[in-house]
Amino acid sequence: MPDAALDLRRKLEILADAAKYDASCASSSAPKRDSLKGGIGSSEGMGICHAYTPDGRCVSLLKILLTNACIFDCAYCINRASSNVPRARFTVKEVVDLTLGFYRRNMIEGLFLSSGIIRSPDYTMEQLVRVARSLREEHGFRGYIHLKTIPDAAPELLAEAGRHADRLSINIELPQENSLKALAPEKDFAGIRRSMARMRVRIEEAKEEARAPRFAPAGQSTQMVVGADGADDRAILGTASTLYGSYGLRRVYYSAYSPIPDASRALPPAPPPLLREHRLYQSDWLLRFYGFSLDEIVPAGPDAMLALDADPKLAWALRNRHFFPVDVNKASREALLRVPGLGVRSVDRIIASRRHGAIRWDALARLRLPLRKLRPFLVTADSTPGSLLDQAGLRGLLVSKTQAAPRQMALL
């Protein structure tokens, strides 16, 4: 049990550290609010950077757990019931005071609050809601609030959480139901999805009804642990695609599994390559913003894994050389988005520029684009790739050179 005698500083050390492995704390799509007409706080200011919104605003967050004590015993979690780690617990008032105190010192612009399960899902969710309610109603706090919700909690508690928070998240934890049953038997895969579905309905109702109370205006997100089970990358991205399409999630976060002390034999002894997490994020971006399908990114087959030596768009291009070269002066926006090295902003700048004249190779250089990666795939007014696309060694010329692989952080 948490030690009631711990001072606030020690609690903060334990519970901020315990929260750092929860990746789903970005603040994208938070509405712009400030305290010019009353209240305290802002969701717009600059400070200690923790999260960026799509329009480039930085929202600094106090990211903590209410407690790292938990009645659940999820095998992959450092805070599981059987884990031998220091425990601590904040009171509701302590979290509120910390949030306001850090804000007044211009160190944060918002709060990300999660928790281990205390007593029951309902009791835990009630404590989280009390924090948000106190900040909003008693202190007029207008900064950003992200609450991690407990899927088994009563619907009325989740409804109140959505009225106070900008974003809610429900962690699906693992990409496959059988894995969740094996590694987190207290959690219900179907129940998590039902909660996500109810959340989507409430969010959409609030958007459609102009007079309806606000409800999680920045939407909902989730997190999947990567590498704790045997799910391949196609299975992970397939689950993410379903979550985006069926539940309207704003983001799916991927968190590489890190081995924990006294781990279950059901868990792998070594972490996955950290680059795997990065490739999943890149693929997620292609699914959402670049028009790629799951089959294009990870073809079905016995080895349904993303390449680690090449980003997923380059890997697709090398498998589909017949699609190239693409004429930078004539191609559609959709075709240009499939060119390795061109991002959404670069493509939009190219399309705007070619209205005023033919684009030559030096114009791409002025845009500071990766010319070495682009050359085999683009035709400009004064340049063609020649036989580059047909070279057997093209992959070796374009993929990252061998270097020390990034290592996953250890939990302890």
Side-chain angles (χ1 to χ4, degrees), residues 171-201:
N171 280 358
I172 197 168
E173 306 289 357
L174 295 167
Q176 300 180 128
E177 184 172 8
N178 59 344
S179 298
L180 196 67
K181 286 181 179 179
L183 299 177
E186 295 103 336
K187 295 187 176 178
D188 178 9
F189 197 79
I192 292 171
R193 293 194 175 215
R194 283 194 299 270
S195 294
M196 288 179 173
R198 287 195 293 266
M199 202 81 71
R200 177 178 189 172
V201 170

Side-chain angles (χ1 to χ4, degrees), residues 330-344:
K330 299 178 182 178
S332 66
R333 184 176 187 273
E334 292 72 22
L336 288 172
L337 284 174
R338 289 180 173 254
V339 176
L342 291 184
V344 172

Side-chain angles (χ1 to χ4, degrees), residues 21-25 171-173 175 222-227 232-244 251-257 274-288 294 306 408:
Y21 299 101
D22 197 319
S24 55
C25 65
N171 280 358
I172 197 168
E173 306 289 357
T222 194
Q223 175 174 308
M224 280 190 281
V225 179
V226 175
D232 58 33
D233 292 340
R234 181 180 173 88
I236 293 170
L237 291 171
T239 296
S241 296
T242 299
L243 295 175
Y244 285 127
R251 285 293 302 271
V252 175
Y253 291 86
Y254 308 93
S255 178
Y257 164 72
L274 196 55
L275 195 54
R276 183 185 178 191
E277 178 187 301
H278 182 57
R279 296 296 183 225
L280 286 167
Y281 275 114
Q282 290 176 318
S283 300
D284 185 284
W285 220 251
L286 295 183
L287 287 170
R288 292 194 292 144
L294 177 62
L306 296 165
Q408 175 64 286

Side-chain angles (χ1 to χ4, degrees), residues 44-63:
E44 296 188 62
M46 299 295 291
I48 302 171
C49 176
H50 287 128
Y52 280 100
T53 63
D55 61 2
R57 288 179 294 127
C58 171
V59 180
S60 54
L61 303 175
L62 173 62
K63 182 181 178 184

Side-chain angles (χ1 to χ4, degrees), residues 39-41 96-97 100 104 133-142:
I40 184 172
V96 171
D97 289 347
L100 297 175
R104 290 185 174 112
R133 184 197 307 133
S134 177
L135 284 168
R136 295 292 194 215
E137 297 182 355
E138 296 174 19
H139 300 279
F141 183 71
R142 299 178 65 79

